[in-house]
Amino acid sequence: MTGTYIQEKLRPNHCFGCGLDNPYGLQIHSFWEGDEVVCRWTPKHYMTGPPNFLYGGISASLIDCHSVNAAVAYANRQAGHEEAFDPELFMVTGTMTIKYHKPVPMHEVELRARIAKVEGRKYLVHTDILSNGERCVSGEVLAIRIARMG
Ligand SMILES: CCCCCCCCCCCCCCCC(=O)SCCNC(=O)CCNC(=O)[C@H](O)C(C)(C)COP(=O)(O)OP(=O)(O)OC[C@H]1O[C@@H](n2cnc3c(N)ncnc32)[C@H](O)[C@@H]1OP(=O)(O)O
């Protein structure tokens, strides 16, 4: 998939969740699949919460960054900047709600995000974390585009 990951168009970026330039971060790699943004990611052994299951804060961080990156990619796609992102279409998390349905086993997960609503500078994103195709965590993230300078 090299060359098609959303995070490759967001550099330099040292964000803990999505920054490819932060070697200590989660290093997520997200890509479009139809109208959804998908990421496959494998936890490190020390990221446990309950024994043998993923720490919930890591799930929240994954959902946070994957969702905001999905919103940025969506805004750029809508604006015709899919190849090289517009630095002015930059977003941060306004609010985030996480629901933990099932514990997440310590092996590869899949994140699936879709843009649910756009209202002015606000982008509402729904993201699920699946393990073996089963939904374990879901999140609703409101990404807010930073007001343009000048
Ligand atoms: C191309 C190369 C690029 C290279 C570069 C790449 C770097 C790629 C890095 C990616 C990075 C990812 C990031 C990861 C996710 C984080 O971890 S982000 C960190 C956590 N989030 C924050 O720190 C955000 C802190 N909050 C703020 O900065 C400001 O409150 C905000 C969110 C920018 C909003 O400020 P503002 O623009 O002054 O907002 P304002 O005009 O008052 O309101 C605008 C609208 O948003 C609503 N709103 C404002 N704040 C909120 C809120 N917190 N909740 C709900 N609604 C809100 C308002 O009600 C208003 O709604 P409407 O009236 O329009 O309907």
Side-chain angles (χ1 to χ4, degrees):
M1 288 296 296
T2 300
T4 59
Y5 293 116
I6 287 164
Q7 288 76 22
E8 288 172 356
K9 299 172 191 171
L10 288 169
R11 296 184 91 161
N13 180 10
H14 291 85
C15 174
F16 176 76
C18 60
L20 294 188
D21 301 301
N22 182 347
Y24 304 104
L26 299 179
Q27 293 274 334
I28 62 167
H29 289 74
S30 316
F31 56 94
W32 282 106
E33 201 174 271
D35 287 341
E36 291 191 321
V37 176
V38 177
C39 167
R40 296 192 184 97
W41 179 89
T42 302
K44 306 273 189 223
H45 68 89
Y46 53 80
M47 293 177 174
T48 48
N52 303 318
F53 291 104
L54 185 63
Y55 174 54
I58 296 284
S59 297
S61 295
L62 290 169
I63 287 178
D64 186 4
C65 265
H66 181 68
S67 303
V68 173
N69 285 194
V72 169
Y74 177 84
N76 276 282
R77 182 178 258 194
Q78 295 297 106
H81 296 301
E82 198 151 13
E83 293 307 313
F85 284 1
D86 177 355
E88 294 233 29
L89 293 175
F90 180 72
M91 301 187 196
V92 289
T93 314
T95 57
M96 180 167 78
T97 308
I98 302 291
K99 185 164 180 182
Y100 296 98
H101 303 274
K102 292 177 179 204
V104 181
M106 293 296 289
H107 51 71
E108 188 186 71
V109 293
E110 183 174 81
L111 285 98
R112 290 198 160 263
R114 59 204 174 279
I115 310 303
K117 192 166 139 188
V118 181
E119 211 175 75
R121 289 194 279 128
K122 300 184 292 186
Y123 294 72
L124 185 65
V125 186
H126 286 293
T127 295
D128 290 329
I129 296 182
L130 304 120
S131 176
N132 280 331
E134 198 170 21
R135 185 184 65 170
C136 297
V137 188
S138 58
E140 196 173 79
V141 175
L142 188 72
I144 302 178
R145 181 163 54 73
I146 304 289
R148 282 174 195 271
M149 305 291 193

